[in-house]
Amino acid sequence: IGIIFGILVLLPAFGLSGLALGVIIGAVLHLAVQLYGFFDLGFNLKMTSPRHLPEPVLKVMKLSFPRVIAASINNLTAVFLVAISSTLVAGSITVYQFANNLGGLPIGIFGVSFAIAAFPSLSENFIKKDAKAFFENFYSSVRSILFYIFPISVFFYVLRAQIVRATLGTGKFDWGDTRLTAASLGIMTIAIFAHSLIPILIRFFYALGNTKRPLIINLFTAALTIVLALFFVNVLSAPSEFTHTLSRLMRVDDLNEVAVLGVALAISVGALTDLVFLTIGAFKEADLKFGGEIKKIRAWPWRDTFLMLGSYLAAGFAAFGGLRLANRMVTLDTLLGVLIQSAVAFFIGSTVYLLVLYMFKNRETLELVGVVKRRAVALRIFMGEMGGEGIK
């Protein structure tokens, strides 16, 4: 509300300073809504000397410090990537940021949300030294994240042009900008699943009381991402076989300036690397904290992962076929055409995805079907209680 107020009211009145003031108002409101719950639960604010703080409070502060630095690293990495984009053709910053914002949407909805929801249970399981429950909760969250993220990734890739066109394709944002942003988004979708699993892996470390190791890994992968961005941008700035292949794959081979795709490629490679190192480090940390006897318990659910991956690929081909079919009936020239193409591809792809998983009795799919059935029964009971005339 504060930011929107700053855009609509303060920006016209005070310029960019008004926009900044709106961000500050939003931050204050963000704090205010949490203070209500803070005081309602019986807590209070009292200044005291650090020497008189309880030991648990000091421990929380010690554990929190690496987390604060880790959050800052992500912001600093974004600043470096914007700086690299600023050296390219005009509009590159916009292309990178728009693609990054669109790609971050499913990560925030599913990856971060499931990680936050799972964290208290993981912490409780570790406190009780219940390794079995700990990994059951962890893998349950991983399966749930992949269940939603895999199909969303394929739809974002197949429908990247439609998504960008529907959300951004107005005003000075022309068809060339749309295609370049869609290409960047397509490259970023390769690692959406990695970005979505990283939050739960970080909470894995936090539940075990280690905030330093994920910080070190994040420092390394952040530096790697920046170096790769410089490398890929340099390579894609000049004609080469790699530039031609990537441009043709992303269907922008007729555009002259595609160097910004190097930033998107660096982000994806960095996220995949981060996922690998965090996974290895998390399992080593678990072995250390729980003991070596958990190695059988912590075995990765490869069957579920490959099943979802296979369904993901099948959904991708089905969605692409649906898109080609819809493309014969309508074009991208109008918003209605964009929505029709997206709806047809999404319906066909999601149907194939769920059918394949249901045939192989995937746990998350069966649970989803059970929820739908229960809702349908409840609706029939409710409608029945209304009476025949009421239904009519």
Side-chain angles (χ1 to χ4, degrees), residues 77-144:
T77 304
V79 170
F80 275 105
L81 294 179
V82 168
I84 293 171
S85 301
S86 71
T87 64
L88 308 177
V89 65
S92 296
I93 294 177
T94 303
V95 168
Y96 153 66
Q97 289 189 322
F98 279 169
N100 194 46
N101 290 342
L102 288 171
L105 187 62
I107 298 168
I109 294 174
F110 296 104
V112 176
S113 298
F114 275 104
I116 291 174
F119 182 55
S121 297
L122 293 175
S123 299
E124 183 179 4
N125 296 147
F126 174 65
I127 291 172
K128 295 179 178 179
K129 297 299 180 181
D130 190 343
K132 184 178 180 180
F134 182 93
F135 278 95
E136 283 179 354
N137 280 322
F138 172 67
Y139 285 136
S140 176
S141 299
V142 168
R143 287 194 305 268
S144 296

Side-chain angles (χ1 to χ4, degrees), residues 21 35 57 66 117 181 190 200 221 284 375:
L21 183 59
L35 286 177
V57 175
T181 304
I190 298 171
I200 187 67
T221 52
K284 287 185 177 180
R375 295 290 187 272

Side-chain angles (χ1 to χ4, degrees), residues 314-325:
F317 285 111
F320 182 74
L323 181 62
R324 294 294 296 271
L325 177 65

Side-chain angles (χ1 to χ4, degrees), residues 373-387:
K373 287 181 178 179
R374 288 195 296 272
R375 295 290 187 272
V377 170
L379 180 61
R380 286 199 297 268
I381 293 174
F382 174 73
M383 297 296 285
E385 290 177 349
M386 289 177 61

Side-chain angles (χ1 to χ4, degrees), residues 266-343:
I267 291 173
S268 293
V269 175
L272 293 171
T273 305
D274 200 18
L275 176 66
V276 171
F277 281 102
L278 282 173
T279 303
I280 295 173
F283 283 2
K284 287 185 177 180
E285 186 70 20
D287 289 343
L288 181 65
K289 294 295 177 67
F290 285 113
E293 69 276 4
I294 68 160
K295 289 189 176 181
K296 291 184 178 180
I297 297 175
R298 68 169 175 79
W300 188 271
W302 289 111
R303 180 186 178 279
D304 291 332
T305 302
F306 284 125
L307 176 58
M308 290 183 186
L309 184 59
S311 304
Y312 153 79
L313 295 175
F317 285 111
F320 182 74
L323 181 62
R324 294 294 296 271
L325 177 65
N327 196 37
R328 295 183 177 183
M329 299 182 292
V330 294
T331 65
L332 291 174
D333 296 333
T334 63
L335 178 60
L336 180 61
V338 172
L339 295 178
I340 291 175
Q341 286 190 8
S342 302

Side-chain angles (χ1 to χ4, degrees), residues 33-114:
V33 295
Q34 297 180 79
L35 286 177
Y36 173 80
F38 179 81
F39 291 117
D40 189 57
L41 289 171
F43 292 97
N44 60 73
L45 297 173
K46 184 174 64 173
M47 299 301 294
T48 184
S49 169
R51 292 178 298 176
H52 300 135
L53 288 174
E55 182 62 29
V57 175
L58 292 173
K59 184 178 180 181
V60 168
M61 293 174 64
K62 182 180 179 181
L63 291 173
S64 299
F65 185 68
R67 175 70 185 99
V68 173
I69 298 176
S72 302
I73 289 172
N74 294 333
N75 293 331
L76 286 173
T77 304
V79 170
F80 275 105
L81 294 179
V82 168
I84 293 171
S85 301
S86 71
T87 64
L88 308 177
V89 65
S92 296
I93 294 177
T94 303
V95 168
Y96 153 66
Q97 289 189 322
F98 279 169
N100 194 46
N101 290 342
L102 288 171
L105 187 62
I107 298 168
I109 294 174
F110 296 104
V112 176
S113 298
F114 275 104

